[in-house]
Amino acid sequence: MEKNNPKGILLSCPIKINLKIKLTALLLLVSLFKIYANSYAQNTKISLALENVSLKEVLDKIETETEFRFLYRDKNIELDKRVSIKVTKKSIEVVLDELFKNSGTTYNIYDNRQILLLPQPEAPPATPREKKSERVQHQISGTVVDSDGTPIPGVSVVIKGTAKGVATDFDGVYNVGADPSDVLVFSSIGFATHEVLVGNQSTIDVVMQ
């Protein structure tokens, strides 16, 4: 009768165990990195005491003292505007809310470190609309790009004749509830306004000129 080689068994077990230990350690490190990344914006505390300085100086100081990075278009943000801010160990959300209070600027935080600064969408004046007995509203989504195919963040997407609207995110993506009879108005500084009838469409992608 043929016997199994005991040496082969003894050699294979440590290799398998060692591989499992390495994989477990790798997965643990990845998990810890994700937890750290996801908690950075919440755990980072900022202290500022600046008087009558430009907005650009405040943003530069935050970038110097933290891992946050600001993304914006110069023509959309008043970088030379004089501001004063005094906060002690506050989260980035509290700091930005204070910094942009009563201004035409808003922000979105991506990946816990990238901060996109956007102009507040300007909604057109609301005009009276006839009340409909039945309103079949559904979600419309899409992407807004320029003529080169580059996503445009901060584009105002408003239902014509109302004050209801949203702004595209950093990837130029938007999502808004609308009726088939609604017209979506796409507008952004430096681009021609674009209007699209919703109809039966659920996805409306727009190229801004």
Side-chain angles (χ1 to χ4, degrees), residues 74-137:
D74 291 355
K75 62 182 180 181
N76 290 345
I77 308 299
E78 297 182 58
L79 296 175
D80 294 330
K81 180 181 178 181
R82 311 305 290 184
V83 297
S84 298
I85 183 170
K86 185 175 183 180
V87 293
T88 303
K89 294 184 179 180
K90 299 296 182 181
S91 67
I92 186 65
E93 289 90 349
V94 173
V95 173
L96 295 180
D97 287 342
E98 177 67 22
L99 188 61
F100 297 120
K101 181 173 59 178
N102 300 324
S103 74
T105 302
T106 185
Y107 65 90
N108 286 324
I109 301 176
Y110 298 92
D111 299 327
N112 282 278
R113 287 171 174 77
Q114 304 294 323
I115 303 174
L116 177 63
L117 302 183
L118 302 166
Q120 288 279 8
E122 294 184 4
T127 57
R129 298 184 65 186
E130 292 183 2
K131 293 183 179 180
K132 300 178 182 179
S133 56
E134 294 183 5
R135 297 180 63 86
V136 185
Q137 191 175 80

